[in-house]
Amino acid sequence: MKPLVLFHISDLHFGREDAEALAWVREAIEAERPDAVLITGDLTMRARHREFRAACAWISELGVPVTVEIGNHDLPYFNLIERFIQPYRRYRAIEKLLERELDFPGFAVVPLKTTTRAQPRWPWVEGWVRPSALRHTLEAIDALPAGTRVLVTAHHPLLERAPDGRRLTINGERTMAALAGRKVAAVLSGHVHDPFDLVRETASGPLRMIGAGTLSHRLRSSPPSYNRIELGPDAIKVTARNREHQPTRQVQVPEVPTGPLPDEAASAEAG
């Protein structure tokens, strides 16, 4: 059986997008025709209408199935009334272009929402897996045919604490354990602007975590990049492609970063 090929991209940040990097990815999609493109959040920089329009135009030209998870930058930033009352209204403008969940022979892609309109901490940029969001994801996994291998897509990595003790994704440890208990093949995420491919030990066993870099000018420690993921019957192969043409292991960071830019850990610009 021919392996499935997915392109995993993230953090396009229209408004601060890298036009050359986006053209580079689109050319690869046109040439290789992957089975799907998975975008793990932050389509926009400040959730402006014009930024969503630009994102819609780019997605509509890809010609392959696309899924998109919402990122913290995709919630209204300037209009706090809209953020609290209709936080996903602008994001929903792109839903007609998307596949919400993808099912392939023996594989499925299931989303997990890690964004919230507000948090008991500032700035509101890190992840929070609400019980209802986790329940929705687990129910979707449990509804799949027995033996289905699952990829979960989310914006935030599920690491709950930074090495210095700072809180990252609230309920991350519980979520990782629940997904490991469901034998999820991997969790795909973005947010931190560097690629990684790691295994995290949880109370329910190991969980593989795969992060994509950014296609914007908001670089951290690696150049613009995306992941090519090949799903075979016995293994998942991840290749981090980057514009510097460095080998995958040279651009994947050895641990989950705790922020998208080195100087933004305590800044409202982070995310």
Side-chain angles (χ1 to χ4, degrees):
M1 181 183 296
K2 179 183 176 183
L4 290 170
V5 174
L6 306 174
F7 280 15
H8 170 207
I9 67 179
S10 199
D11 296 79
L12 285 67
H13 287 295
F14 276 91
R16 290 283 303 280
E17 77 276 14
D18 184 330
E20 292 183 357
L22 290 173
W24 166 66
V25 173
R26 185 170 60 194
E27 289 171 4
I29 293 170
E30 291 173 352
E32 299 179 41
R33 309 301 298 173
D35 294 284
V37 172
L38 314 180
I39 305 176
T40 50
D42 280 358
L43 282 177
T44 68
M45 185 62 197
R46 289 295 177 226
R48 295 179 174 94
H49 292 291
R50 66 176 179 270
E51 294 170 353
F52 275 115
R53 286 195 296 269
C56 286
W58 190 81
I59 290 171
S60 67
E61 295 175 353
L62 299 182
V64 298
V66 179
T67 68
V68 179
E69 303 316 311
I70 191 164
N72 52 284
H73 275 266
D74 299 323
L75 300 179
Y77 185 79
F78 300 106
N79 188 332
L80 290 182
I81 294 176
E82 183 180 0
R83 184 183 181 103
F84 279 93
I85 296 176
Q86 293 182 302
Y88 306 111
R89 183 174 69 88
R90 300 185 188 193
Y91 168 79
R92 290 193 177 107
I94 70 167
E95 287 189 334
K96 64 182 181 296
L97 303 175
L98 308 177
E99 303 286 342
R100 187 58 187 148
E101 297 178 6
L102 291 175
D103 294 313
F104 301 104
F107 281 96
V109 178
V110 179
L112 170 68
K113 187 165 78 72
T114 61
T115 56
T116 59
R117 68 192 76 190
Q119 301 182 26
R121 55 184 173 170
W122 179 262
W124 298 332
V125 299
E126 302 296 357
W128 188 353
V129 183
R130 298 279 191 145
S132 58
L134 178 58
R135 182 173 62 251
H136 180 80
T137 296
L138 296 179
E139 288 174 351
I141 294 172
D142 292 342
L144 294 169
T148 301
R149 298 170 72 192
V150 176
L151 297 177
V152 169
T153 50
H155 177 57
H156 295 86
L158 298 178
L159 189 69
E160 187 156 349
R161 294 280 181 181
D164 62 3
R166 180 168 56 91
R167 194 77 179 269
L168 299 175
T169 296
I170 298 173
N171 290 335
E173 297 292 336
R174 175 190 173 200
T175 300
M176 286 192 288
L179 297 178
R182 295 309 200 277
K183 307 302 181 186
V184 165
V187 178
L188 277 53
S189 62
H191 184 61
V192 294
H193 297 192
D194 277 333
F196 58 85
D197 183 4
L198 309 168
V199 175
R200 181 83 172 182
E201 290 297 328
T202 79
S204 301
L207 182 67
R208 188 172 180 180
M209 301 187 297
I210 299 169
T214 181
L215 295 173
S216 75
H217 289 293
R218 305 180 72 242
L219 300 177
R220 194 173 192 270
S221 62
S222 53
S225 65
Y226 69 95
N227 292 329
R228 182 186 186 275
I229 300 178
E230 187 173 298
L231 305 175
D234 302 313
I236 299 175
K237 179 182 178 181
V238 179
T239 303
R241 292 176 170 175
N242 63 92
R243 301 204 68 216
E244 301 296 330
H245 306 295
Q246 296 172 287
T248 291
R249 287 300 175 189
Q250 289 188 12
V251 293
Q252 286 179 335
V253 297
E255 58 186 21
V256 180
T258 58
L261 291 176
D263 60 346
E264 288 189 331
S267 166
E269 191 69 29

